[in-house]
Amino acid sequence: MKKIVILIAASLLFCGCHIYKKYEQVESVPDNLYGHSDFVTNADTTKNFSDLGWREIFTDPYLQKLIDSALVHNSNLLQSHLKVEEMEATLKAAKLAYIPSFSFAPNASYNYANGFNQTIGTSSAFSYNVGINADWQIDIFGRLTNKKRETNALTEQARDFEQAARVELISNMANLYYELLMLDRELEILTQTEILWGKSVETQRAMMEAGMSTSAAVNQLEASLCNVQIQKIDLLRTINTYENAICMLLAETPHPIQRGVLTGFRMPTEVGIGIPLSVLQKRPDVRAAQRNLEAAHYATCGAYSEMYPNITLSGNLGLITPAQLGASIIAQLVQPIFAQGRLRANLKIAKAQQEEARIAFSQKLIDAGVEVNEALADCQSAKAKKEILNKQVAALAEAYDATNELMNKGTTTYLEVLTAQESYLNARLSQVNNDYEAISSLITLYIALGGGAN
């Protein structure tokens, strides 16, 4: 017994650094992770965008109602929640592995022997044992501890995945909603254009009848009007598709979506995003990558543990006869000697997987920084173009009105009218697209910064 104790103590001193070393969280990120952006402010008076809840960013009441409903009924989010429950049950089992297991195992046997001659007679015997068996694995070499820690990391990772699914759901709903508002605005512009261009066709036809224009001019203007009408039909079909996509996120059958208007959204003039480390801790995908690295660390520790003895205490307490109570206890130490290279192979695999997890985590940090930088660049771009597009639309509106007046007086050609009409329409549609891009860039930034304070 003394030799066994000495062997265990020596083994603990030799392997303790491998099997009991706790995972240390990564507390540093690459320098200048977000790059440079004039859109970012570090002013203390500005509330960081990453600290805003989704209700503070998406203030449209119709959108908030849709998101609330999706968070309750969306199928993918419900499945993510069930995954968390599965891992929580697994973690509970890993924690209970420290205590002994008990089983009720009654057994009975009847032996009968018939002799071949008179010397060896017939005999029979009946025996039974009504007892309880107990097994207890003593966790000296960290098998159970490392398994519990690995399972705990994977459970936290499942929670991070659920949070990531939540953020993705909110952002997808916001994107679809604002794309729907953009399509509504484009449909409104095309409807207005259809009316105005219809009047131009009527004017040009009247001028042709008066001998002031030609059939070619009327045909060209009518062809442009038909193009607008075709765009309206395509838009209506696209609107129906986006409404169906929103219904899918809601886990509902197709139906019209109640909504506001695109002009109701206001883009902030400055965005404070906070320091990289505190922001990245809010990103569920970054947290999940770190949890994966943590789990790989404990899987490696567990692979080391498998190379050392396994100590198990087994016992039985039972009724052998109505008047006899039996008990037994056995201590077993199993030391792997030769396992066909399996244990060393498992350790090598665990180390390689840990290194893979480390590389994946490092790349995830870089990816996160790039995503933030790209989103900020998009915000800057949309902000810079907004004022220019407003001026362009105003200038083309005046040109359109002036051209129509000249057409009414018969002092301009139909080509000039056509050019003015199409330039004005395209500028208005570009203005709407830029407004949506501004909103979309903020939604992307919302995701890149971890989904805010949800």
Side-chain angles (χ1 to χ4, degrees):
M1 182 66 181
K2 184 177 179 181
K3 291 182 178 179
I4 294 177
V5 172
I6 294 174
L7 175 62
I8 293 174
S11 298
L12 283 172
L13 290 174
F14 177 72
C15 68
C17 59
H18 294 302
I19 64 177
Y20 286 111
K21 184 178 180 181
K22 294 196 70 173
Y23 174 76
E24 296 179 1
Q25 294 283 336
V26 177
E27 299 293 345
S28 62
V29 297
D31 294 335
N32 199 27
L33 181 65
Y34 298 147
H36 173 72
S37 177
D38 296 332
F39 196 60
V40 181
T41 176
N42 294 318
D44 295 335
T45 56
T46 303
K47 188 174 183 180
N48 287 333
F49 192 78
S50 60
D51 294 328
L52 299 177
W54 66 265
R55 292 182 185 277
E56 296 177 88
I57 301 171
F58 310 121
T59 56
D60 188 307
Y62 293 104
L63 175 57
Q64 289 184 350
K65 185 177 179 180
L66 291 171
I67 292 175
D68 281 332
S69 179
L71 291 175
V72 175
H73 301 107
N74 182 261
S75 301
N76 289 337
L77 190 58
L78 291 175
Q79 290 175 348
S80 296
H81 182 69
L82 291 174
K83 290 293 183 183
V84 172
E85 291 185 355
E86 292 172 13
M87 288 307 304
E88 287 175 344
T90 305
L91 177 60
K92 185 176 181 180
K95 290 179 178 178
L96 292 176
Y98 287 96
I99 63 177
S101 64
F102 296 91
S103 60
F104 179 59
N107 63 80
S109 64
Y110 176 76
N111 297 318
Y112 174 80
N114 187 9
F116 293 103
N117 51 53
Q118 296 180 349
T119 305
I120 303 175
T122 300
S123 64
S124 63
F126 176 77
S127 63
Y128 66 88
N129 185 336
V130 181
I132 297 176
N133 296 333
D135 289 287
W136 184 23
Q137 183 175 346
I138 302 176
D139 191 39
I140 295 179
F141 295 99
R143 280 183 176 83
L144 301 181
T145 297
N146 286 315
K147 189 63 179 177
K148 184 199 72 173
R149 289 173 177 174
E150 179 186 359
T151 305
N152 182 69
L154 293 175
T155 302
E156 291 300 321
Q157 184 186 52
R159 294 193 180 103
D160 293 332
F161 285 147
E162 181 184 18
Q163 176 64 15
R166 176 185 169 90
V167 171
E168 183 180 10
L169 175 60
I170 293 172
S171 61
N172 285 344
M173 181 64 76
N175 261 318
L176 288 172
Y177 180 81
Y178 284 113
E179 284 188 69
L180 196 54
L181 298 191
M182 177 190 69
L183 294 173
D184 285 344
R185 179 59 181 149
E186 289 181 348
L187 182 61
E188 180 184 352
I189 291 172
L190 288 174
T191 301
Q192 294 170 357
T193 301
E194 182 184 16
I195 295 172
L196 293 174
W197 288 18
K199 292 179 180 180
S200 296
V201 170
E202 292 175 2
T203 301
Q204 198 68 232
R205 184 176 288 112
M207 292 175 65
M208 181 188 68
E209 292 173 355
M212 300 173 61
S213 183
T214 64
S215 60
V218 175
N219 291 337
Q220 283 287 351
L221 291 175
E222 284 183 338
S224 296
L225 177 59
C226 290
N227 184 52
V228 170
Q229 293 169 340
I230 290 172
Q231 289 184 59
K232 280 187 61 179
I233 295 172
D234 289 340
L235 266 181
L236 288 170
R237 178 67 184 89
T238 305
I239 287 172
N240 182 72
T241 299
Y242 275 87
E243 286 184 318
N244 289 342
I246 290 177
C247 290
M248 290 176 64
L249 291 183
L250 296 171
E252 296 175 357
T253 56
H255 61 79
I257 301 297
Q258 288 187 318
R259 51 192 183 270
V261 293
L262 186 66
T263 53
F265 187 88
R266 292 291 179 269
M267 186 174 179
T269 56
E270 290 182 322
V271 173
I273 60 175
I275 59 176
L277 182 59
S278 62
V279 170
L280 290 180
Q281 289 173 344
K282 297 177 183 178
R283 282 187 56 132
D285 59 337
V286 172
R287 292 201 309 268
Q290 177 138 235
R291 294 297 184 186
N292 188 50
L293 179 56
E294 181 180 355
H297 168 84
Y298 288 123
T300 302
C301 293
Y304 275 112
S305 299
E306 292 295 329
M307 303 179 72
Y308 296 96
N310 183 22
I311 301 175
T312 305
L313 296 180
S314 301
N316 177 272
L317 177 65
L319 190 65
I320 301 175
T321 67
Q324 185 177 9
L325 185 68
S328 65
I329 184 170
I330 301 172
Q332 183 181 39
L333 184 148
V334 178
Q335 169 65 56
I337 298 176
F338 178 69
Q340 299 172 323
R342 177 178 57 83
L343 298 181
R344 291 191 177 277
N346 289 343
L347 177 60
K348 187 174 182 179
I349 292 170
K351 287 181 176 180
Q353 290 175 341
Q354 184 177 355
E355 181 62 15
E356 289 174 11
R358 186 195 65 77
I359 294 172
F361 176 68
S362 299
Q363 186 61 46
K364 179 60 69 174
L365 293 179
I366 296 173
D367 293 345
V370 171
E371 289 173 12
V372 173
N373 182 273
E374 290 288 333
L376 289 171
D378 290 341
C379 288
Q380 285 179 281
S381 176
K383 180 184 176 184
K385 289 193 297 184
K386 184 176 181 62
E387 186 175 350
I388 298 173
L389 285 169
N390 289 342
K391 291 180 179 179
Q392 183 185 42
V393 168
L396 289 173
E398 291 182 6
Y400 173 75
D401 292 338
T403 305
N404 272 278
E405 289 181 9
L406 292 174
M407 181 184 67
N408 293 334
K409 296 177 182 178
T411 57
T412 187
T413 67
Y414 74 91
L415 290 176
E416 291 177 320
V417 174
L418 194 62
T419 300
Q421 287 179 338
E422 292 181 348
S423 297
Y424 181 46
L425 173 60
N426 290 334
R428 294 182 72 188
L429 294 177
S430 295
Q431 188 181 41
V432 173
N433 285 326
N434 186 69
D435 288 342
Y436 168 71
E437 287 175 6
I439 298 172
S440 179
S441 65
L442 281 181
I443 295 174
T444 303
L445 184 61
Y446 164 79
I447 301 172
L449 296 178
N454 289 292

PDB file of all heavy atoms in Angstrom, residues 360-376:
ATOM      1  N   ALA A 360      -7.473  29.443 -35.246  1.00  0.00           N
ATOM      2  CA  ALA A 360      -8.825  29.898 -35.607  1.00  0.00           C
ATOM      3  C   ALA A 360      -9.237  31.098 -34.770  1.00  0.00           C
ATOM      4  O   ALA A 360      -9.861  32.046 -35.279  1.00  0.00           O
ATOM      5  CB  ALA A 360      -9.829  28.761 -35.432  1.00  0.00           C
ATOM      6  N   PHE A 361      -8.866  31.096 -33.485  1.00  0.00           N
ATOM      7  CA  PHE A 361      -9.213  32.223 -32.613  1.00  0.00           C
ATOM      8  C   PHE A 361      -8.464  33.486 -33.034  1.00  0.00           C
ATOM      9  O   PHE A 361      -9.047  34.574 -33.100  1.00  0.00           O
ATOM     10  CB  PHE A 361      -8.894  31.876 -31.160  1.00  0.00           C
ATOM     11  CG  PHE A 361      -9.122  33.012 -30.205  1.00  0.00           C
ATOM     12  CD1 PHE A 361     -10.405  33.471 -29.943  1.00  0.00           C
ATOM     13  CD2 PHE A 361      -8.059  33.636 -29.577  1.00  0.00           C
ATOM     14  CE1 PHE A 361     -10.627  34.525 -29.076  1.00  0.00           C
ATOM     15  CE2 PHE A 361      -8.265  34.684 -28.707  1.00  0.00           C
ATOM     16  CZ  PHE A 361      -9.551  35.135 -28.448  1.00  0.00           C
ATOM     17  N   SER A 362      -7.183  33.342 -33.329  1.00  0.00           N
ATOM     18  CA  SER A 362      -6.392  34.498 -33.772  1.00  0.00           C
ATOM     19  C   SER A 362      -6.963  35.086 -35.061  1.00  0.00           C
ATOM     20  O   SER A 362      -7.061  36.307 -35.218  1.00  0.00           O
ATOM     21  CB  SER A 362      -4.930  34.096 -33.979  1.00  0.00           C
ATOM     22  OG  SER A 362      -4.349  33.634 -32.781  1.00  0.00           O
ATOM     23  N   GLN A 363      -7.348  34.212 -35.994  1.00  0.00           N
ATOM     24  CA  GLN A 363      -7.928  34.688 -37.244  1.00  0.00           C
ATOM     25  C   GLN A 363      -9.280  35.341 -37.006  1.00  0.00           C
ATOM     26  O   GLN A 363      -9.628  36.322 -37.676  1.00  0.00           O
ATOM     27  CB  GLN A 363      -8.073  33.520 -38.223  1.00  0.00           C
ATOM     28  CG  GLN A 363      -8.540  33.937 -39.613  1.00  0.00           C
ATOM     29  CD  GLN A 363      -7.573  34.890 -40.293  1.00  0.00           C
ATOM     30  OE1 GLN A 363      -6.361  34.663 -40.284  1.00  0.00           O
ATOM     31  NE2 GLN A 363      -8.084  35.971 -40.865  1.00  0.00           N
ATOM     32  N   LYS A 364     -10.043  34.819 -36.040  1.00  0.00           N
ATOM     33  CA  LYS A 364     -11.352  35.399 -35.724  1.00  0.00           C
ATOM     34  C   LYS A 364     -11.200  36.842 -35.237  1.00  0.00           C
ATOM     35  O   LYS A 364     -12.024  37.713 -35.561  1.00  0.00           O
ATOM     36  CB  LYS A 364     -12.066  34.548 -34.679  1.00  0.00           C
ATOM     37  CG  LYS A 364     -13.430  35.084 -34.251  1.00  0.00           C
ATOM     38  CD  LYS A 364     -14.390  35.177 -35.409  1.00  0.00           C
ATOM     39  CE  LYS A 364     -14.809  33.836 -35.928  1.00  0.00           C
ATOM     40  NZ  LYS A 364     -15.861  33.946 -36.969  1.00  0.00           N
ATOM     41  N   LEU A 365     -10.141  37.112 -34.455  1.00  0.00           N
ATOM     42  CA  LEU A 365      -9.886  38.478 -34.000  1.00  0.00           C
ATOM     43  C   LEU A 365      -9.623  39.401 -35.183  1.00  0.00           C
ATOM     44  O   LEU A 365     -10.164  40.521 -35.254  1.00  0.00           O
ATOM     45  CB  LEU A 365      -8.690  38.503 -33.044  1.00  0.00           C
ATOM     46  CG  LEU A 365      -8.865  37.819 -31.687  1.00  0.00           C
ATOM     47  CD1 LEU A 365      -7.567  37.919 -30.895  1.00  0.00           C
ATOM     48  CD2 LEU A 365     -10.003  38.448 -30.898  1.00  0.00           C
ATOM     49  N   ILE A 366      -8.801  38.936 -36.110  1.00  0.00           N
ATOM     50  CA  ILE A 366      -8.486  39.751 -37.291  1.00  0.00           C
ATOM     51  C   ILE A 366      -9.739  39.966 -38.129  1.00  0.00           C
ATOM     52  O   ILE A 366     -10.012  41.079 -38.606  1.00  0.00           O
ATOM     53  CB  ILE A 366      -7.374  39.085 -38.118  1.00  0.00           C
ATOM     54  CG1 ILE A 366      -6.069  39.030 -37.299  1.00  0.00           C
ATOM     55  CG2 ILE A 366      -7.147  39.832 -39.426  1.00  0.00           C
ATOM     56  CD1 ILE A 366      -4.958  38.245 -37.966  1.00  0.00           C
ATOM     57  N   ASP A 367     -10.520  38.891 -38.323  1.00  0.00           N
ATOM     58  CA  ASP A 367     -11.762  39.010 -39.096  1.00  0.00           C
ATOM     59  C   ASP A 367     -12.705  40.038 -38.462  1.00  0.00           C
ATOM     60  O   ASP A 367     -13.349  40.817 -39.173  1.00  0.00           O
ATOM     61  CB  ASP A 367     -12.464  37.656 -39.183  1.00  0.00           C
ATOM     62  CG  ASP A 367     -11.677  36.642 -40.008  1.00  0.00           C
ATOM     63  OD1 ASP A 367     -10.754  37.063 -40.734  1.00  0.00           O
ATOM     64  OD2 ASP A 367     -11.989  35.442 -39.920  1.00  0.00           O
ATOM     65  N   ALA A 368     -12.775  40.006 -37.143  1.00  0.00           N
ATOM     66  CA  ALA A 368     -13.651  40.943 -36.441  1.00  0.00           C
ATOM     67  C   ALA A 368     -13.211  42.382 -36.677  1.00  0.00           C
ATOM     68  O   ALA A 368     -14.045  43.270 -36.917  1.00  0.00           O
ATOM     69  CB  ALA A 368     -13.656  40.631 -34.943  1.00  0.00           C
ATOM     70  N   GLY A 369     -11.899  42.617 -36.607  1.00  0.00           N
ATOM     71  CA  GLY A 369     -11.396  43.963 -36.853  1.00  0.00           C
ATOM     72  C   GLY A 369     -11.694  44.439 -38.260  1.00  0.00           C
ATOM     73  O   GLY A 369     -12.069  45.594 -38.487  1.00  0.00           O
ATOM     74  N   VAL A 370     -11.521  43.535 -39.246  1.00  0.00           N
ATOM     75  CA  VAL A 370     -11.803  43.883 -40.645  1.00  0.00           C
ATOM     76  C   VAL A 370     -13.284  44.203 -40.820  1.00  0.00           C
ATOM     77  O   VAL A 370     -13.654  45.168 -41.512  1.00  0.00           O
ATOM     78  CB  VAL A 370     -11.387  42.733 -41.584  1.00  0.00           C
ATOM     79  CG1 VAL A 370     -11.884  42.985 -42.998  1.00  0.00           C
ATOM     80  CG2 VAL A 370      -9.866  42.587 -41.590  1.00  0.00           C
ATOM     81  N   GLU A 371     -14.156  43.415 -40.194  1.00  0.00           N
ATOM     82  CA  GLU A 371     -15.598  43.650 -40.315  1.00  0.00           C
ATOM     83  C   GLU A 371     -15.988  45.017 -39.755  1.00  0.00           C
ATOM     84  O   GLU A 371     -16.805  45.729 -40.347  1.00  0.00           O
ATOM     85  CB  GLU A 371     -16.360  42.539 -39.602  1.00  0.00           C
ATOM     86  CG  GLU A 371     -16.298  41.195 -40.321  1.00  0.00           C
ATOM     87  CD  GLU A 371     -16.910  40.080 -39.506  1.00  0.00           C
ATOM     88  OE1 GLU A 371     -17.580  40.383 -38.500  1.00  0.00           O
ATOM     89  OE2 GLU A 371     -16.718  38.901 -39.869  1.00  0.00           O
ATOM     90  N   VAL A 372     -15.408  45.366 -38.605  1.00  0.00           N
ATOM     91  CA  VAL A 372     -15.693  46.682 -38.031  1.00  0.00           C
ATOM     92  C   VAL A 372     -15.197  47.784 -38.956  1.00  0.00           C
ATOM     93  O   VAL A 372     -15.892  48.777 -39.211  1.00  0.00           O
ATOM     94  CB  VAL A 372     -15.052  46.814 -36.627  1.00  0.00           C
ATOM     95  CG1 VAL A 372     -15.206  48.231 -36.100  1.00  0.00           C
ATOM     96  CG2 VAL A 372     -15.692  45.835 -35.652  1.00  0.00           C
ATOM     97  N   ASN A 373     -13.969  47.612 -39.472  1.00  0.00           N
ATOM     98  CA  ASN A 373     -13.399  48.622 -40.362  1.00  0.00           C
ATOM     99  C   ASN A 373     -14.242  48.792 -41.619  1.00  0.00           C
ATOM    100  O   ASN A 373     -14.505  49.917 -42.070  1.00  0.00           O
ATOM    101  CB  ASN A 373     -11.962  48.225 -40.730  1.00  0.00           C
ATOM    102  CG  ASN A 373     -11.282  49.252 -41.606  1.00  0.00           C
ATOM    103  OD1 ASN A 373     -11.398  49.216 -42.825  1.00  0.00           O
ATOM    104  ND2 ASN A 373     -10.575  50.185 -40.987  1.00  0.00           N
ATOM    105  N   GLU A 374     -14.674  47.678 -42.222  1.00  0.00           N
ATOM    106  CA  GLU A 374     -15.491  47.736 -43.436  1.00  0.00           C
ATOM    107  C   GLU A 374     -16.825  48.422 -43.166  1.00  0.00           C
ATOM    108  O   GLU A 374     -17.303  49.229 -43.971  1.00  0.00           O
ATOM    109  CB  GLU A 374     -15.731  46.318 -43.978  1.00  0.00           C
ATOM    110  CG  GLU A 374     -14.500  45.651 -44.570  1.00  0.00           C
ATOM    111  CD  GLU A 374     -14.100  46.270 -45.900  1.00  0.00           C
ATOM    112  OE1 GLU A 374     -14.960  46.807 -46.597  1.00  0.00           O
ATOM    113  OE2 GLU A 374     -12.899  46.221 -46.236  1.00  0.00           O
ATOM    114  N   ALA A 375     -17.445  48.081 -42.041  1.00  0.00           N
ATOM    115  CA  ALA A 375     -18.737  48.688 -41.707  1.00  0.00           C
ATOM    116  C   ALA A 375     -18.592  50.199 -41.497  1.00  0.00           C
ATOM    117  O   ALA A 375     -19.440  50.983 -41.947  1.00  0.00           O
ATOM    118  CB  ALA A 375     -19.316  48.032 -40.457  1.00  0.00           C
ATOM    119  N   LEU A 376     -17.517  50.602 -40.837  1.00  0.00           N
ATOM    120  CA  LEU A 376     -17.284  52.035 -40.621  1.00  0.00           C
ATOM    121  C   LEU A 376     -17.024  52.749 -41.945  1.00  0.00           C
ATOM    122  O   LEU A 376     -17.492  53.872 -42.164  1.00  0.00           O
ATOM    123  CB  LEU A 376     -16.096  52.223 -39.677  1.00  0.00           C
ATOM    124  CG  LEU A 376     -16.344  51.832 -38.211  1.00  0.00           C
ATOM    125  CD1 LEU A 376     -15.035  51.844 -37.434  1.00  0.00           C
ATOM    126  CD2 LEU A 376     -17.350  52.771 -37.567  1.00  0.00           C
TER     127      LEU A 376
END
